[in-house]
């Protein structure tokens, strides 16, 4: 199969017709959302959704998010009281927030991985919204990468993983947030974050003070409630490790590591503060931005991992960040990319 790429510029959506036609015929289309690129299929067509699992190599028990273009679409896909969902939707939608709710019979079993709940999001990206609105049905769209790899934040990275496997890719430029949505479980009494993302625990607690983070995300002895969280994820091809401590401590650990590994090509992905110190070294350096600007850091980490893989480094060292605010989502991804390993300790 040849993958066609269409580029959308200046909100000129005329050429989206072919994307909508393919989706209506049960084919796959990759497209941008504000978080990462998604691999889309008609969410109410089980045969189409099955193609997502095949193209990504995704385990069947990892449920998919349905993307909607308005709250009415969500109502048809769910049952039960929607009071809390409406409050969060008013505040954070369209945007990087996914709500887990009791599902209606309209939702195919393959979407929910056999659970009696469904995950739903209303994206803010205009191309994504336009596709859903024109299709008139929810679009199932996990990240458009081969399962286990870092999520793609631009069209060329999406093509790296899916070229020849899908008929169409919509190129809408690089994504803004760069990390996947926050998944919030509203199917239980206490709102729980099942996957941290752009909408932080602090932001959620402004609305529901009792909200918390799924313990399974924090403790190694407890299974996470979101099936996806148990899988190997976001892994670069190179061996990856984190580094932590004071700035001076990190510089010393890294200097030792470089000395102990003279034959290895090493990549460093770090804040500007740490990157600057190694800018004239032999390292391949990916500057994530100033460490106080977590929005920028978040938007750069998947791109950084992919860029270092393209440079064929043997080892990637990633700076660890504090887990406050958006730092929780950043560290959730980095811990998975590195299998929670640190150098120098
Ligand atoms: P992805 O779209 O690949 O970024 O992943 C979607 C995430 O949402 C995965 O971590 C899934 O396990 C999670 N998810 C989807 N549906 C549900 C659900 N019904 N209950 C809990 N987690 C879900
Ligand atoms: Mg994913």
């Amino acid at each position: 199969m040849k993958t066609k790429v269409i580029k959308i510029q200046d909100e000129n959506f005329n050429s989206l017709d072919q994307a909508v036609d393919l989706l209506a015929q049960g084919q796959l289309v990759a497209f941008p959302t504000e978080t990462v690129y998604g691999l889309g299929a008609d969410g109410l067509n089980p045969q189409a959704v099955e193609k997502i699992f095949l193209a990504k190599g995704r385990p069947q028990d990892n449920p998919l998010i349905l993307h909607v273009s308005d709250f009415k679409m969500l109502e048809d896909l769910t049952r039960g009281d929607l009071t809390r969902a409406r409050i969060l939707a008013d505040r954070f939608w369209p945007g990087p927030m996914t709500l887990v709710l009791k599902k209606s019979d309209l939702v195919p079993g393959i979407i929910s991985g056999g659970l009696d709940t469904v995950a739903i999001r209303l994206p803010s990206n205009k191309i994504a919204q336009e596709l859903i609105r024109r299709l008139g049905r929810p679009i199932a769209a996990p990240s458009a990468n081969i399962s286990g790899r870092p999520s793609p934040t631009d069209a060329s990275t999406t093509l790296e993983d899916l070229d020849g496997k899908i008929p169409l890719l919509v190129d809408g430029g690089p994504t803004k947030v760069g990390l996947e949505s926050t998944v919030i479980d509203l199917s239980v009494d206490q709102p729980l974050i099942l996957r941290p993302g752009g909408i932080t625990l602090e932001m959620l607690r402004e609305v529901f003070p009792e909200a918390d983070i799924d313990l399974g995300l924090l403790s190694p002895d407890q299974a996470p409630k979101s099936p996806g969280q148990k899988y190997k994820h976001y892994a670069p091809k190179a061996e990856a490790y984190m580094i932590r401590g004071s700035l001076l401590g990190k510089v010393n650990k890294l200097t030792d590591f470089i000395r102990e590994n003279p034959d290895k090509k090493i990549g460093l992905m770090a804040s500007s503060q740490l990157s600057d110190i190694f800018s004239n070294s032999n390292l391949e350096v990916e500057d994530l931005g100033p460490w106080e600007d977590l929005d920028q850091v978040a938007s750069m980490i998947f791109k950084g991992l992919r860029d270092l893989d393209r440079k064929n480094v043997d080892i990637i060292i990633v700076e660890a960040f504090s887990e406050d605010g958006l730092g929780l989502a950043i560290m959730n991804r980095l811990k998975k990319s590195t299998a929670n390993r640190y150098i120098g300790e």
Side-chain angles (χ1 to χ4, degrees), residues 238-256:
E239 248 177 83
Y241 300 88
M242 286 185 283
I243 185 168
R244 64 182 163 193
S246 65
L247 184 59
L248 182 61
K250 284 183 281 206
V251 170
N252 288 337
K253 283 177 189 170
L254 199 47
T255 309
D256 288 346

Side-chain angles (χ1 to χ4, degrees), residues 28-45:
L28 301 184
V29 174
F31 60 93
T33 80
E34 70 277 20
T35 58
V36 299
Y37 269 69
L39 177 58
D42 175 350
L44 301 183
N45 176 342

Side-chain angles (χ1 to χ4, degrees), residues 36 56 58 62 142-145 147 149 151 180 195 233-234:
V36 299
K56 281 180 60 84
R58 183 176 175 108
N62 189 3
S143 48
N145 53 286
S147 272
R149 297 273 294 140
S151 305
E180 302 88 344
R195 174 178 71 183
H233 247 81
Y234 318 123

